């Protein structure tokens, strides 16, 4: 048991550290391409910080743990909004304009698609391939519409393309190793405590693999880069569903655990709608709402673990 907890801890440390390295490399490459902070946050940072989830879900599905694979995706999206966006908003109100534009709507659409698949009880290869196709289309449209910010005069000199790619690849290898250790330890702990793999995936694994998003969003908020912080969360949630669930299901079709079709499904949908609602009504996510998001996440975790 001590070894299993050690594997989880070591895997989480590797995911956080190597996820940060991976993002630094991705941002370096994106800056060389002249992309705006929001587009960088939405694509390279948002998707880069989701690499731990991708590797974790693939390895979990390969090892016959669909509860961890799917719970990781759903749990990460819930954590990204209620926990990470909540903490970020609690540090300072977040402007909600980006939530009301194309990308926020894509996040809602992806959430609806995922919810329907969960209710169907099975996520097969065709659904997985359709999600991948939707993600590719979205990426092409997003990158074509992204333009450099004209007023970003204080931007640091970007690293060379070769250095960015090297750092990105080093981080990716580390993330793969960390994901394998995390899944192995989490699966054994679930069996030892007779807790379902879905619950482990929704809590320990989901929060652990979302730590890169937390670090990135908090750092962005501290630097006054609200667009980067919210773009990171939106991009990560889109990639979690269309990319991670899509790729995983295309390779290893997933049976949906019964745990996913109760309170978790409704929290999953509500979490996606809440920030959109605040953006529509208030034009921003206020600090008090951020504290409320975090409290709601704590209540959710207690409800599914108890």
């Amino acid at each position: 048991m001590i070894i299993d907890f050690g594997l989880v801890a070591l895997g989480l440390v590797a995911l956080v550290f190597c996820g940060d390295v991976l993002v630094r490399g991705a941002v370096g490459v994106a800056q060389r391409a002249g992309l705006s902070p929001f587009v960088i946050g939405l694509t390279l940072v948002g998707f880069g910080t989701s690499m731990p989830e991708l590797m974790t879900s693939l390895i979990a599905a390969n090892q016959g743990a669909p509860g961890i694979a799917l719970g990781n995706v759903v749990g990460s999206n819930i954590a990204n909004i209620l926990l990470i966006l909540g903490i970020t908003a609690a540090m300072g109100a977040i402007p909600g304009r980006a939530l009301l534009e194309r990308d926020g709507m894509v996040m809602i659409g992806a959430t609806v698609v995922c919810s329907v698949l969960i209710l169907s009880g099975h996520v097969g290869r065709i659904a997985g391939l359709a999600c991948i196709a939707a993600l590719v289309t979205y990426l092409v449209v997003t990158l074509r519409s992204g333009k450099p910010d004209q007023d970003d005069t204080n931007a640091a000199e970007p690293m060379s393309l070769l250095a960015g790619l090297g750092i990105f690849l080093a981080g990716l290898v580390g993330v793969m190793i960390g994901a394998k250790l995390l899944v192995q330890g989490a699966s054994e702990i679930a069996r030892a405590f007779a807790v379902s793999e879905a619950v482990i995936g929704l809590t320990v694994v989901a929060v652990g693999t979302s730590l890169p998003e937390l670090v990135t969003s908090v750092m962005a908020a501290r630097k006054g880069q609200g667009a980067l912080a919210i773009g990171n969360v939106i991009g990560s949630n889109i990639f979690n569903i269309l990319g991670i669930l899509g790729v995983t299901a295309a390779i290893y079709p997933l049976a949906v655990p019964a745990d996913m079709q109760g309170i978790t499904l409704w929290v999953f949908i509500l979490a996606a709608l809440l920030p959109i609602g605040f953006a529509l009504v208030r034009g921003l996510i206020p600090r008090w709402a951020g504290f409320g998001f975090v409290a709601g996440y704590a209540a959710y975790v207690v409800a599914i673990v108890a």
Side-chain angles (χ1 to χ4, degrees), residues 53 71-81 205-207 209-210 237 240:
E53 285 96 327
N72 179 37
V73 171
V74 174
S76 290
N77 274 30
I78 293 173
N80 280 349
I81 294 178
V205 176
V207 173
T209 55
S210 290
N237 279 17
N240 282 348

Side-chain angles (χ1 to χ4, degrees), residues 12 15-16 52 182 203-212:
L12 288 175
L15 287 175
V16 174
L182 177 62
T203 53
V204 177
V205 176
V207 173
T209 55
S210 290
L211 288 177

Side-chain angles (χ1 to χ4, degrees), residues 19 22-24 26-27 30 37-54 76-77 80 84 135 138-139 168 209-210 212-214 216-217 227-241 244:
L22 182 150
V23 169
R24 287 177 185 272
V27 171
F38 180 72
V39 172
I40 291 175
L42 190 70
T43 55
L44 274 300
V45 178
F47 295 172
T49 53
S50 289
M51 289 304 294
E53 285 96 327
L54 175 59
S76 290
N77 274 30
N80 280 349
I84 295 171
L135 178 64
Y138 168 71
L139 276 176
F168 177 85
T209 55
S210 290
E213 283 94 336
L214 175 59
T216 303
S217 292
L228 181 61
I230 202 165
N232 174 36
V233 169
I234 294 175
S236 180
N237 279 17
I238 292 171
F239 186 72
N240 282 348
I241 296 172
I244 295 172

Side-chain angles (χ1 to χ4, degrees), residues 20-306:
D20 180 62
V21 171
L22 182 150
V23 169
R24 287 177 185 272
V27 171
V29 173
Q31 286 177 331
R32 275 293 172 190
L35 298 177
S36 70
F38 180 72
V39 172
I40 291 175
L42 190 70
T43 55
L44 274 300
V45 178
F47 295 172
T49 53
S50 289
M51 289 304 294
E53 285 96 327
L54 175 59
M55 295 305 168
T56 301
S57 288
L58 281 173
I59 291 171
N62 175 258
Q63 295 182 357
I68 289 180
L70 186 57
N72 179 37
V73 171
V74 174
S76 290
N77 274 30
I78 293 173
N80 280 349
I81 294 178
L82 296 185
L83 183 61
I84 295 171
L85 194 58
I87 290 174
T88 306
M91 295 174 61
I94 298 177
R97 181 176 59 85
L99 286 163
L100 302 178
E101 297 178 350
R102 177 197 61 211
D103 307 296
M105 297 305 102
V106 171
M107 182 183 72
I108 294 296
T111 301
V112 170
V113 168
C114 185
S115 300
V116 171
L117 291 174
I118 290 174
L119 287 172
S120 74
H122 183 261
V123 187
R125 285 197 173 91
I126 294 178
L129 292 172
C131 286
I132 295 172
L135 178 64
V136 171
T137 302
Y138 168 71
L139 276 176
V140 170
V141 172
T142 299
L143 292 175
R144 283 184 175 177
S145 64
K147 294 181 176 62
D149 282 359
Q150 300 300 319
D151 58 347
D152 192 12
T153 56
N154 297 319
E157 180 67 24
M159 66 181 71
S160 69
L161 181 61
L162 185 61
L165 287 173
I167 293 172
F168 177 85
L169 291 175
L172 181 59
V173 171
V175 164
M176 294 174 66
I177 295 172
K180 185 172 181 62
L181 295 175
L182 177 62
V183 170
Q184 182 178 339
S187 297
E188 293 301 322
I189 291 172
R191 295 188 185 99
F193 285 98
V195 176
S196 74
E197 290 179 339
V199 170
I200 293 292
L202 287 165
T203 53
V204 177
V205 176
V207 173
T209 55
S210 290
L211 288 177
E213 283 94 336
L214 175 59
V215 172
T216 303
S217 292
V218 169
M219 292 302 294
R222 288 183 61 186
K223 295 177 181 178
Q225 292 286 337
L228 181 61
I230 202 165
N232 174 36
V233 169
I234 294 175
S236 180
N237 279 17
I238 292 171
F239 186 72
N240 282 348
I241 296 172
L242 300 183
I244 295 172
L245 183 60
V247 170
T248 303
I251 301 174
Y252 308 105
L254 300 169
V256 179
D259 313 50
M260 298 284 181
Q261 297 176 330
I263 184 176
T264 291
L265 178 61
W266 297 110
V267 172
F268 176 58
I269 296 171
L270 181 62
L273 293 175
L274 269 177
I276 301 293
F278 276 105
L280 281 170
V281 176
R282 308 265 323 238
L284 52 75
I285 303 175
R287 292 188 66 188
W288 63 264
F291 287 109
F293 282 13
V294 175
Y297 184 76
Y300 161 69
V301 171
V302 170
I304 63 172
V305 172

